[in-house]
């Protein structure tokens, strides 16, 4: 019995050492580990980097704000982490398990001395298992801590916006204006005064800042004070329905104002496009004076025997703009391989006839041939032959074009009110066989184009029985048939496909032989007679062109003709440089101040501003 009592004390000492020593060491490690500094979770900040835009209803932030953390500083040699209660929970669990094991061991020893050796062995095994469990838990805890630390350090870097505070201040100002307009807050004099004061302070702090770095040091204090004031306003304004109605009314009013301004901008743009700049008005007057001072022999062009030669390359230009016509001719001749083979047939009106002739007499285009005609000399072109000429002279058309300013400004068809649609010059393109009866093919050119490559290859293209060779404009929805024709009319709906591909006027090769065989001019006249009340299409030459040449157009490669330089600033430079012809279709013509600046250089390089007539009219790039 004494021997047993003597053995009991060493066994108990051994158990205490083997069980409690690892626990003490592990608790010491935890104490050291818990002394690390923790990084504040970014998602708990009241002012996040990722500030969402203000919605229709004001979004209130919490009244209590903390200074946002711009940078995360790590002062320890290890990464600071935030383990929310996980470590302490596991530690308590392991301690309880160890104490339970210890009590069991002591109870078993005191109850049965014969099981001493077995208990000692079992205790050692379980202690080892506990040690392994604690080591595994510690490794898992460290892995989770490293993962959490990585996420919390990288997350703010992924959501950093350099203007988040600037945008939030702007949202505060908008919310402040809304509160000033609401009845519950507007009638509170004290709150109203405080809110206006805060808005002024925030506005001064904002200034012209576009980034958070531009804000002054006290901007955050102003922002926090403004948030507190807005929170008061939210408490005062309990009627959410009234707020929603007020905001909807504000949005509706703003949309109406925007619509009015858009109409005014459209009207002014069209007005500017129709206005003749002072220099372009001066130039024809100056040229006409010089022309009538010449004797009759000096008023004649050379090489007139080439005008009817079908073996040469013939161009048709119909324009009353002297300078624009000169750019077309100069650019074509400059890029031609054999300039002497190119013949230009220019048709203009009576007012500009002398000026047009004088320009090309003073500045002949090299070896190319020039012909200038007056549309008044076409005696066959009269109202009895041409339905469109009869329509243009009708009182209904005159009234449409000479409405009062107010009516014109609100007209939804503003683009069709350009005076060029009143000119028969715009419709001469449908009478090419009558104008050039001895020619087989002719290339039609608009006066707002620039030629960048040799065009002689157009005459060698096999049109495969088609009349018109043109570049199609299928790439954009607004260039399809339903954009130009009235498909609510049964005549249009029956004969044409609304999704059919349109094509471009401006650079076209016409087979005049096929034109005559297929009676294209008669087709044009029949459709014009059906449209005498403008029920099939409004105005312009493209809609009747789409109808007249329906299923008679041969598609050319897109590189022959690039459009959009008069309205689309997104036309790529690569596309422009590889194009044979670039077209300034639209209102933003290169000779107007409203022209797109980056495209004006392609046109200006074919204008010699040092010429005497240009200097006399004070014209400059």
């Amino acid at each position: 019995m004494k021997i047993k009592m003597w053995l009991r004390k060493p066994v108990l000492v051994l158990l205490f050492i083997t069980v409690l020593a690892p626990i003490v060491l592990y608790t010491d490690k935890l104490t050291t580990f818990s002394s690390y500094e923790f990084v504040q979770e970014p998602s708990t900040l009241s002012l996040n980097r990722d500030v969402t835009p203000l919605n229709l209803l004001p979004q209130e932030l919490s009244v209590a704000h903390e200074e946002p953390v711009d940078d995360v500083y790590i002062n320890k040699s290890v990464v600071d982490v935030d383990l929310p209660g996980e470590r302490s929970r596991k530690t308590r669990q392991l301690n309880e398990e160890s104490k339970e094991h210890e009590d069991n061991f002591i109870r078993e020893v005191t109850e049965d001395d014969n099981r001493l050796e077995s208990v000692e062995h079992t205790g050692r095994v379980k202690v080892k298992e506990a040690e392994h469990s604690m080591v595994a838990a510690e490794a898992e805890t460290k892995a989770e801590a490293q993962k959490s630390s990585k996420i919390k350090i990288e997350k703010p870097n992924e959501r950093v916006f350099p203007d988040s505070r600037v945008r939030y201040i702007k949202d505060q100002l908008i919310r402040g204006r809304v509160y000033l307009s609401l009845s519950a807050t507007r009638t509170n004099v004290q709150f109203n005064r405080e809110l206006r004061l805060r808005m002024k302070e925030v506005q001064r702090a904002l200034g012209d800042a576009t980034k958070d770095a531009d804000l002054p040091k006290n901007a955050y204090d102003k922002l926090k004070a403004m948030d507190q004031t807005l929170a008061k306003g939210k408490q005062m304004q309990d009627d959410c329905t009234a707020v929603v109605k007020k905001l909807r009314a504000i949005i509706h009013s703003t949309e109406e104002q925007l619509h009015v301004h858009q109409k005014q901008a459209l009207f002014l743009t069209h007005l500017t496009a129709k206005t003749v700049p002072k220099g372009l008005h001066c130039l024809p007057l100056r040229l006409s004076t010089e022309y009538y001072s010449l004797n009759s022999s000096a008023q004649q062009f050379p090489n007139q025997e080439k005008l009817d030669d079908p073996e040469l390359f013939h161009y048709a230009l119909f324009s009353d703009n002297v300078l624009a016509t000169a750019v077309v001719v100069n650019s074509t001749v400059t890029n031609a391989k054999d300039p002497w083979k190119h013949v230009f047939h220019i048709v203009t009106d009576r007012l500009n006839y002398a000026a047009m002739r004088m320009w090309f007499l003073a500045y002949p285009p090299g070896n190319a041939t020039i012909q200038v005609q007056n549309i008044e000399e076409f005696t066959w072109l009269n109202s009895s032959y041409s339905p469109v000429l009869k329509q243009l002279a009708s009182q209904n058309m005159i009234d449409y074009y000479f409405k009062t300013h107010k009516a014109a400004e609100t007209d939804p068809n503003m683009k069709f009110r350009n005076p060029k649609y009143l000119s028969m010059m715009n419709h001469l393109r449908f009478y090419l066989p009558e104008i050039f009866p001895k020619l087989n093919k002719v290339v039609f050119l608009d006066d707002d184009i620039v030629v960048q490559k040799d065009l002689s290859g157009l005459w060698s293209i096999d049109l495969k029985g088609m009349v018109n060779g043109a570049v199609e404009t299928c790439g954009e929805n607004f260039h399809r048939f339903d954009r130009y024709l009235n498909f609510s009319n049964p005549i249009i709906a029956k004969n044409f496909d609304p999704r059919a591909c349109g094509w471009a006027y401006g650079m076209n090769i016409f087979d005049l032989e096929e034109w005559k065989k297929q009676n294209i001019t008669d087709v044009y006249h029949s459709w014009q007679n059906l449209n005498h009340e403008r029920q099939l299409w409004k105005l312009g030459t493209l809609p009747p062109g789409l109808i007249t040449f329906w299923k008679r157009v041969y598609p050319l490669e897109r590189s022959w003709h690039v459009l959009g330089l008069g309205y689309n600033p997104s036309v790529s430079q690569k596309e422009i440089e590889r194009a044979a012809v670039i077209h300034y279709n639209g209102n933003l013509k290169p000779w107007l101040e409203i022209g797109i600046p980056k495209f004006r250089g392609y046109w200006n390089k074919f204008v010699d501003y040092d010429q005497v007539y240009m200097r006399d009219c004070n014209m400059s790039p």
Side-chain angles (χ1 to χ4, degrees):
M1 190 67 180
K2 292 181 179 180
I3 296 173
K4 290 182 179 181
M5 292 296 293
W6 180 80
L7 288 174
R8 182 177 301 172
K9 293 179 180 180
V11 169
L12 291 175
V13 172
L14 180 62
L15 285 174
F16 277 102
I17 293 173
T18 56
V19 174
L20 296 179
I23 295 175
V24 172
L25 292 174
Y26 184 75
T27 305
D28 182 67
K29 288 183 179 180
L30 288 177
T31 305
T32 305
F33 189 73
S34 63
S35 65
Y36 297 157
E37 297 177 1
F38 300 111
V39 180
Q40 188 178 3
E41 172 67 23
S43 63
T44 63
L45 298 179
S46 59
L47 183 58
N48 202 321
R49 290 281 190 177
D50 185 14
V51 180
T52 56
L54 184 67
N55 293 328
L56 290 180
L57 290 177
Q59 297 178 355
E60 301 292 345
L61 293 182
S62 175
V63 176
H65 289 274
E66 295 180 13
E67 180 68 22
V69 181
D70 292 334
D71 298 298
V72 177
Y73 296 98
I74 302 177
N75 296 325
K76 301 294 181 181
S77 60
V78 294
V79 179
D80 294 343
V81 295
D82 183 9
L83 301 177
E86 183 66 20
R87 188 190 317 110
S88 59
R89 184 185 65 79
K90 291 185 177 181
T91 302
R92 289 194 303 270
Q93 181 180 354
L94 292 173
N95 289 337
E96 291 174 0
E97 290 178 358
S98 299
K99 290 180 180 180
E100 183 180 356
H101 287 310
E102 178 184 348
D103 295 338
N104 291 335
F105 298 151
I106 296 172
R107 189 181 302 110
E108 291 177 6
V109 170
T110 55
E111 289 179 356
D112 192 356
D113 294 338
N114 294 329
R115 298 170 56 192
L116 178 62
E117 294 180 1
S118 177
V119 169
E120 181 179 355
H121 176 73
T122 305
R124 289 175 181 175
V125 171
K126 292 186 176 183
V127 168
K128 288 182 179 179
E129 290 178 355
E131 289 178 354
H132 287 302
S133 176
M134 287 187 289
V135 171
E138 183 178 0
E140 182 182 355
T141 301
K142 289 182 178 180
E144 292 179 359
Q146 291 176 357
K147 183 178 179 181
S148 176
S149 174
K150 182 178 180 181
I151 292 173
K152 292 172 184 177
I153 289 176
E154 291 180 355
K155 184 177 179 181
N157 292 336
E158 295 175 353
R159 302 173 66 85
V160 169
F161 292 92
D163 63 339
S164 60
R165 191 172 294 179
V166 170
R167 287 189 294 162
Y168 185 72
I169 291 175
K170 291 180 179 179
D171 288 346
Q172 282 185 324
L173 292 172
I174 294 173
R175 290 157 60 195
R177 295 189 188 100
V178 171
Y179 279 132
L180 290 175
S181 65
L182 300 176
S183 58
T185 52
R186 186 176 63 247
T187 55
N188 190 316
V189 179
Q190 183 177 356
F191 173 78
N192 206 309
R193 187 184 301 110
E194 180 183 351
L195 180 58
R196 291 182 183 276
L197 177 62
R198 299 300 183 204
M199 290 178 65
K200 289 180 181 179
E201 291 177 350
V202 169
Q203 185 67 55
R204 282 197 296 267
L206 178 63
D208 298 328
T210 57
K211 297 183 297 184
D212 292 352
D214 299 334
L215 294 172
K217 294 182 179 179
N218 63 344
Y220 178 74
D221 296 333
K222 305 298 183 185
L223 179 150
K224 188 162 59 174
M226 181 67 172
D227 260 347
Q228 294 174 354
T229 304
L230 291 174
K232 296 178 183 178
K234 182 181 180 181
Q235 296 174 357
M236 297 170 58
Q237 183 63 48
D238 296 328
D239 190 358
C240 294
T241 304
V243 175
V244 172
K245 290 182 179 179
K246 184 69 175 181
L247 290 174
R248 285 178 177 172
I250 293 174
I251 292 173
H252 181 69
S253 175
T254 304
E255 288 178 348
E256 286 186 344
Q257 292 178 9
L258 176 62
H259 188 59
V260 170
H261 289 316
Q262 286 176 338
K263 279 191 172 184
Q264 291 176 348
L266 180 64
F267 172 77
L268 293 174
T269 301
H270 283 284
L271 181 63
T272 305
K274 293 185 290 186
T275 302
V276 179
K278 184 178 180 180
L280 289 181
H281 182 70
C282 164
L283 185 62
L285 295 177
R286 182 78 175 81
L287 290 168
S288 297
T289 303
E290 291 291 330
Y291 178 78
Y292 288 115
S293 65
L294 300 176
N295 55 46
S296 58
S297 60
Q299 294 177 350
Q300 304 303 316
F301 290 104
N303 304 321
Q304 294 300 289
E305 67 279 1
K306 296 181 179 181
L307 297 179
D308 297 327
D309 187 350
E311 300 299 324
L312 301 179
F313 307 136
H314 296 265
Y315 301 90
L317 285 86
F318 309 138
S319 175
D320 57 359
N321 189 324
V322 176
L323 189 59
T325 303
V327 169
V328 175
V329 174
N330 291 343
S331 62
T332 306
V333 173
T334 300
N335 293 283
K337 294 180 179 179
D338 300 309
W340 64 273
K341 292 184 178 181
H342 296 261
V343 181
F344 296 90
H345 304 269
I346 301 170
V347 179
T348 187
D349 56 14
R350 179 171 52 188
L351 293 175
N352 294 280
Y353 174 72
M356 193 76 73
R357 291 183 68 89
M358 185 63 207
W359 177 272
F360 290 105
L361 287 171
Y363 308 107
N367 296 324
T369 302
I370 292 291
Q371 180 190 28
V372 178
Q373 295 176 279
N374 184 357
I375 190 174
E376 303 293 337
E377 297 174 358
F378 299 154
T379 56
W380 51 266
L381 188 61
N382 50 60
S383 58
S384 60
Y385 175 67
S386 173
V388 68
L389 188 61
K390 182 178 181 180
Q391 293 171 14
L392 292 175
S394 67
Q395 187 63 41
N396 185 24
M397 189 71 69
I398 293 173
D399 291 342
Y400 177 79
Y401 274 96
F402 292 95
K403 289 180 180 178
T404 62
H405 174 83
K406 183 176 181 180
E409 187 175 349
T410 58
D411 192 341
N413 300 313
M414 182 62 61
K415 63 177 292 186
F416 300 116
R417 298 184 60 82
N418 197 310
K420 69 179 182 180
Y421 297 125
L422 276 176
S423 173
M424 191 60 196
M425 293 257 303
N426 201 42
H427 297 267
L428 282 179
R429 62 193 69 187
F430 294 103
Y431 298 99
L432 293 176
E434 288 81 358
I435 300 173
F436 311 112
K438 298 181 181 180
L439 300 180
N440 299 327
K441 285 186 176 181
V442 65
V443 169
F444 169 79
L445 298 177
D446 262 340
D447 63 358
D448 55 352
I449 63 105
V450 172
V451 179
Q452 300 187 128
K453 296 182 181 179
D454 180 42
L455 299 183
S456 57
L458 289 171
W459 277 265
S460 61
I461 295 176
D462 182 9
L463 298 181
K464 302 184 184 303
M466 300 297 178
V467 180
N468 178 13
V471 171
E472 293 183 330
T473 56
C474 301
E476 302 179 47
N477 290 331
F478 60 85
H479 282 156
R480 297 187 182 273
F481 271 46
D482 57 354
R483 175 68 177 179
Y484 302 99
L485 305 177
N486 179 19
F487 277 87
S488 63
N489 189 293
I491 299 176
I492 295 295
K494 179 181 178 181
N495 289 278
F496 305 102
D497 178 9
R499 305 304 297 162
C501 189
W503 45 269
Y505 258 131
M507 195 286 297
N508 308 78
I509 175 73
F510 288 103
D511 187 335
L512 301 185
E513 294 295 322
E514 286 293 332
W515 185 307
K516 295 172 186 176
K517 290 179 183 179
Q518 299 182 32
N519 296 320
I520 297 300
T521 304
D522 290 341
V523 173
Y524 168 69
H525 284 170
S526 64
W527 282 106
Q528 284 288 357
N529 285 325
L530 290 173
N531 193 46
H532 65 283
E533 293 183 354
R534 302 196 304 278
Q535 297 299 316
L536 306 184
W537 68 87
K538 291 301 179 181
L539 292 172
T541 54
L542 183 55
L546 296 176
I547 290 179
T548 301
F549 296 102
W550 170 248
K551 296 183 178 181
R552 298 182 177 93
V553 178
Y554 178 82
L556 301 178
E557 293 183 4
R558 293 182 63 86
S559 60
W560 277 110
H561 187 190
V562 170
L563 298 97
L565 278 73
Y567 70 89
N568 181 16
S570 300
V571 180
S572 67
Q573 184 177 359
K574 182 178 179 180
E575 192 176 8
I576 293 173
E577 291 176 351
R578 70 182 181 184
V581 172
I582 55 176
H583 195 171
Y584 292 85
N585 58 311
N587 288 323
L588 310 180
K589 303 299 183 184
W591 55 83
L592 299 176
E593 291 185 5
I594 61 173
I596 302 174
K598 66 178 180 179
F599 297 150
R600 191 176 289 131
Y602 299 104
W603 190 83
N604 279 338
K605 68 180 180 180
F606 295 104
V607 179
D608 186 2
Y609 289 97
D610 292 330
Q611 292 171 343
V612 59
Y613 298 111
M614 302 291 284
R615 292 199 307 268
D616 290 347
C617 292
N618 296 320
M619 299 187 69
S620 59

